[in-house]
Every structure is written in C-alpha cells, then in structure tokens.
Amino acid sequence: MSWLETLNALGVQVDELGNCQVSAAESRDAAVTVTPLTHLGLFSVTGPDAEKFLQGQLSCDVQQLSAGKSLLGSHCNIKGSMISLSRLMPVENGFWLRTERPILDTAMANLKKYMIFSKAESHNRSDEIVGLGISGAQADRALLAEGFTLPAETGEFAVYGSGLLIRVPGERFELWLPVEQAETLLSGLLKEATLADTNSWKLQDIRSGIPSLDSATLETFIPQMTNLQVFDGVSFSKGCYTGQEVITRLQHRGKLNRPMYRLAFSADQTPPPGTAINTPERAGVGTVVSAAMTSEQQGELLAVILKTSFDDTETALTLEGGDQPLQRLTLPYELDPELFERPQRL
C-alpha cells in the first residue's frame, strides 16, 4: 500500500498541490495532533562534496548541521532573491532538503546547475521519505511513549531509525522517515493523537512567523525580507555563497524597507501566495507569503509589507480584490531595529 493509500484509508484526502484535508472531528484544541506533511517534499544532496557544495550555495551555515542542528536555508540568485527555501537535515553521505512540493523540482534544478563540477548528486526522495508534523501540549509525551529521544532545543534534531525528528517552533516536531516506518508509527501515534490537516499546520507556521516560498513568489524576496535571519537561515560570517554580496550589504550597510509581518484577514477563501496588499493611496505595498484559515471566513497570513505602511496604523491595508481591512498582529520574535535605521545605500 502506498503512502497516499494509507492516508486515504484514514480519511485523509490530498489535492493536486499536496494539501491534505481530514474527514474527522475538529482537532484544533486536541492535546496532540498529527499532520501528514503532504504539502512538503524532500530531495537529497549526497556525495563527498555535498557539504562543501551546499555551503557555497545556500544562505545558512551548513556546517552547523554537524552539531545536531537542522536549519532553514535559502538558495538565491546573483541578485540575492530567493529561488528556493528548504529545511536542511544531515543524513549519511549528505543531506535531505525539504521544501514546498510545488517548487521542489525547480529547487533541485537550480542547484543542479552548479553541481556539475562537484562530487555530489541530487535525487527526489518524496516517494520514499515522508513527513509527519506532531504538535500540541502533549506532543513530547506522545513521542516519548513511542520510544523517541527528544531534541532538547528548537532547531535541534534526534535520529529515529532511518529518520530524523526535529523540534520546530510552537510545541511542534517535524518527523521525516521512510514510508514503511511512517505507516507503523502512525498507527501507534493515533491511539492518543488526532489527525489534523495542512491548513492547521500552516496556521501554526504563520503564528510562529516561519516563512515559506511558492511558485508565485520565487525570486521575489531577499532572505531578510522574510525574517529568515531570525531562524539562523542566513549566515553573515561563513563566506561566499550565491547572492551573498547583496544579502550581506543589506545586513551591514543597507536599510530593510520591507520585512515580513503577520496579519488577520476576512475572506471566504485563503488568499494565495503572491496576492498584493494595498492601501487606499498606494497599490502593491505588500505581498502575501503564506495564509491559512482560522474559521470559515477568517484567517491569518504572513506578508512582506512596506514598513512605513504597516507602521501607519491609521491607514487601512487590504488584499487585492477585497475591501475588508487587514488586522495587524504581532510576531513571536523581534527584529533587529538597526535593520531599519541605517541609510539606504543599495
């Protein structure tokens, strides 16, 4: 039985974009939930030069992964704009990179352009390695009951069989492991946990202020515009990588005019990534990064927005095609104020 067939048997339906829906009772307040991370895919970069290659391409410090870390990292073009955003995990002979399923093929292809002179290779592993998101106040206890060793700090990982368990922000874990192990584990977890859908997981990402990329937002944002540095997704000391000159110049000598913010919206449907945000006086002051529903007509989103427009609370922010004002919300972290105080020199 394939992974999708296993999920279908549990009442989980997966659409063409990989988003899953669960035909089960409301799980938002459950003590433990398990979300099949079908909206995410995974590819490998392996070989003798895998670490050296990725260190020269991605924005994060890949060497930190050998110290038990799992990091977000972006691959950028020469102008510093992100062409992929992945979570990196160290495995035997290389790394797993998990990313949004709609951009996985593009992410792989862009890395392979630079791989030709390295002793490294890349393969799509999405049919072999699958993800489960475990969250809730009792998530630790549920995983301990299944024999897991828990990573102590956010961003750290622990090995589980042939897979990896990563503690991520918001009382949550990402677990990536072979399909056969996932099928066995899922039956055990569901004795205490409740299945949850993709929307629920994305909502928790939004409330944790974690960025993502979509096909509509490729080559749109410099990493700091999505607050990626908060998660050690950008290194300013490791040396050269593609796009590093622009990214470092912004950090040390520039001024960040458009960071990422969290807002609430009223709408019948989830606004897709790339949707413009306007004010009455000016169109395109912002761009939706990701969004999720909290009820039938309410939701939350992350968006990169002109700071002066967000700070002007007397001015309404609205989604393109809508007229309901967005409500400004807080993020669970603070950005370095110096990013907004330096004169613009870019």
Side-chain angles (χ1 to χ4, degrees), residues 3 42 91 96 125-132 160-164 175-186:
W3 182 235
L42 184 146
V91 294
W96 288 343
R125 305 289 301 279
S126 299
D127 292 334
E128 310 162 41
I129 308 297
V130 295
L132 294 172
Y160 177 77
S162 299
L164 291 175
L175 174 62
W176 292 92
L177 71 176
V179 172
E180 297 79 9
Q181 289 185 40
E183 290 173 339
T184 301
L185 177 66
L186 186 56

Side-chain angles (χ1 to χ4, degrees), residues 13-35:
Q13 301 297 319
V14 182
D15 66 20
E16 64 278 3
L17 296 177
N19 298 309
C20 73
Q21 295 183 339
V22 178
S23 55
E26 178 61 53
S27 60
R28 196 165 289 141
D29 298 323
V32 187
T33 62
V34 179
T35 303

Side-chain angles (χ1 to χ4, degrees), residues 141-333:
R141 184 181 60 80
L143 289 167
L144 287 170
E146 292 296 324
F148 282 86
T149 299
L150 302 184
E153 302 291 337
T154 299
E156 294 182 350
F157 71 86
V159 176
Y160 177 77
S162 299
L164 291 175
L165 178 73
I166 307 117
R167 188 183 288 272
V168 296
E171 294 185 324
R172 297 184 300 156
F173 297 86
E174 279 190 35
L175 174 62
W176 292 92
L177 71 176
V179 172
E180 297 79 9
Q181 289 185 40
E183 290 173 339
T184 301
L185 177 66
L186 186 56
S187 63
L189 285 173
L190 291 180
K191 293 175 183 177
E192 296 191 37
T194 303
L195 279 170
D197 60 14
T198 301
N199 181 81
S200 298
W201 188 261
K202 287 184 175 180
L203 180 60
Q204 292 178 84
D205 273 348
I206 289 166
R207 289 177 171 173
S208 298
I210 300 173
S212 61
L213 272 188
D214 182 84
S215 54
T217 54
L218 296 181
E219 300 189 74
T220 301
F221 309 125
I222 291 173
Q224 293 100 310
M225 294 170 69
T226 64
N227 307 346
L228 192 60
Q229 72 280 2
V230 171
F231 303 98
D232 292 328
V234 187
S235 172
F236 302 104
S237 60
K238 72 166 188 172
C240 295
Y241 56 91
T242 305
Q244 178 258 347
E245 182 178 353
V246 174
I247 295 165
T248 302
R249 189 189 311 147
L250 172 60
Q251 189 72 16
H252 295 301
R253 298 196 301 275
K255 178 180 177 182
L256 181 61
N257 293 319
R258 291 177 180 253
M260 188 176 71
Y261 297 101
R262 174 174 159 244
L263 306 98
F265 64 88
S266 298
D268 296 330
Q269 297 181 336
T270 308
T275 300
I277 292 176
N278 306 323
T279 69
E281 296 79 21
R282 182 174 177 181
V285 300
T287 304
V288 172
V289 173
S290 59
M293 303 301 292
T294 57
S295 65
E296 288 187 1
Q297 295 185 319
Q298 304 289 326
E300 295 183 14
L301 59 81
L302 294 174
V304 172
I305 301 176
L306 190 65
K307 187 176 189 297
T308 53
S309 296
F310 186 87
D311 290 345
D312 182 6
T313 56
E314 299 298 316
T315 298
L317 297 168
T318 58
L319 291 167
E320 181 76 25
D323 56 7
Q324 293 296 314
L326 298 170
Q327 177 187 353
R328 294 163 172 86
L329 302 175
T330 60
L331 287 166
Y333 50 75

